[in-house]
Amino acid sequence: ARPAGDMPWPYLAAKVFDVALRRMDAPKKHKLTVVRCAEEADQRIAIDAARRGGYVLADDSDFLCFKDVQYVALEHIDRLAAGKSVAVWSRKSLAAALGLAEPLVVEAAIVAGNDFTSHLTATDWEVEGLTDAIKRSPERLVDWLAEMD
């Protein structure tokens, strides 16, 4: 299997997607901007959302690592469409829920795994004081991270 970046951009799919976005935006006249990224777009999306005070609606908890990003899980799209309230998470709110200092959310994500570390197993991490038993227990991992603060 080839990495997605090696695959050609599907011309017709790109055109259909652009037309669909313009039609969705036309009644609102928000001047929707479409940006294509050569690499993973998380950082660009997070920066734009934080600058605009907007929300990221996605199925990617990596957005919880970015400062000032308001993240809504994609699974709630039907509730949003129906005008119902949904949970909005941020790095700050996740840190508070876990009892961690906000910057430690990033370290927790690195240890727990993310898009860049998903190929590694828990035993691949060698950090002083971080035992395999801690790596396999979310409760112990949060306690260990809190002790680092």
Side-chain angles (χ1 to χ4, degrees), residues 8-134:
W9 185 259
Y11 181 78
L12 182 58
K15 293 296 181 190
V16 169
F17 186 69
D18 288 342
V19 168
L21 287 174
R22 274 191 258 113
R23 286 187 182 175
M24 287 170 50
D25 193 51
K28 299 172 191 162
K29 298 184 176 140
H30 287 298
K31 297 182 182 175
L32 184 67
T33 302
V34 176
V35 177
R36 289 195 183 107
C37 298
E39 300 288 327
E40 185 166 294
D42 289 7
Q43 185 175 13
R44 177 63 189 263
I45 292 168
I47 290 168
D48 286 350
R51 281 186 187 152
R52 297 175 190 212
Y55 298 84
V56 173
L57 176 64
D59 189 19
D60 189 347
S61 61
D62 287 358
F63 287 107
L64 292 170
C65 294
F66 292 97
K67 186 175 180 177
D68 300 325
V69 169
Q70 299 176 91
Y71 172 75
V72 176
L74 186 60
E75 69 188 55
H76 300 304
I77 194 166
D78 290 335
R79 291 184 55 82
L80 285 172
K84 297 178 180 177
S85 63
V86 296
V88 178
W89 286 90
S90 65
R91 186 170 83 179
K92 186 176 185 175
S93 64
L94 180 59
L98 294 174
L100 295 174
E102 187 178 338
L104 288 178
V105 169
V106 176
E107 279 77 5
I110 291 168
V111 175
N114 59 43
D115 292 348
F116 302 105
T117 62
S118 59
H119 66 285
L120 301 173
T121 65
T123 55
D124 289 332
W125 293 99
E126 294 297 330
V127 177
E128 187 176 334
L130 183 59
T131 66
D132 287 345
I134 293 171

